[in-house]
Amino acid sequence: MHRLVLPMSRDARKTEIPAEKLELYDKLIRERPHIERKGLGLPYTSVNGHMFTFLSAAGSLGLRLPRDLREEFLKEHNATLFVAHGTVLKEYVEVPEDLFKDTAGLLPHLDASYQYVVGLAPKQQRKAGAGKPKRGAKKKAKRKPRK
């Protein structure tokens, strides 16, 4: 499997995330070749349809952890649960700045996050165009063929 490695300048044009935060995130993900970085504007990682890391527009790193490791992480690093758009993301911790800069120190937590998500049942993929019709959308009437 080939990994797509995007140049930093392309990412920088598509996002307002501070360049140094993008570089830290990319450096972290590059350490684990089996993990694919996705998203141009807001980078994230996912496996089997489950996201497990992401970088917010402000450059904060969110990391998804199972309950026991999450509680341990929060205490050990004096961290908080991640808050996005006024909503607490209950399974995500916000990685403190000093740990975010310490790639080697952060890798065990990234590995734990990956292992947690790999253990979840894969999400069912939706078929293209499937789902609820958009509000106000009218169904097209089938016309009878002319003879």
Side-chain angles (χ1 to χ4, degrees), residues 7-125:
M8 186 60 64
S9 60
R10 182 174 175 189
D11 289 339
R13 286 194 312 257
K14 299 224 181 258
T15 184
E16 294 180 16
I17 298 172
E20 65 274 6
K21 299 294 180 104
L22 275 172
E23 183 53 40
L24 285 171
Y25 187 71
D26 287 339
K27 180 180 176 187
L28 176 68
I29 303 306
R30 280 193 303 265
E31 289 291 319
R32 297 297 185 252
H34 61 282
I35 296 175
E36 179 185 357
R37 176 194 184 271
K38 301 174 182 179
L40 288 177
L42 294 173
Y44 69 97
T45 58
S46 68
V47 66
N48 294 333
H50 298 282
M51 188 169 70
F52 61 99
T53 72
F54 67 91
L55 199 56
S56 74
S60 297
L61 175 59
L63 185 66
R64 187 176 186 179
L65 294 170
R67 178 180 291 171
D68 57 336
L69 295 179
R70 185 171 56 246
E71 290 172 5
E72 186 180 306
F73 184 95
L74 293 170
K75 289 176 188 174
E76 182 181 335
H77 297 287
N78 196 24
T80 60
L81 292 176
F82 202 98
V83 178
H85 307 290
T87 302
V88 176
L89 303 181
K90 296 175 185 175
E91 287 197 323
Y92 288 85
V93 295
E94 184 170 346
V95 175
E97 185 77 22
D98 58 334
L99 182 57
F100 191 11
K101 292 178 181 178
D102 179 12
T103 301
L106 186 52
L107 282 172
H109 301 292
L110 175 65
D111 293 338
S113 181
Y114 177 81
Q115 288 304 318
Y116 171 55
V117 173
V118 165
L120 298 175
K123 282 191 174 181
Q124 295 291 328
Q125 291 184 343

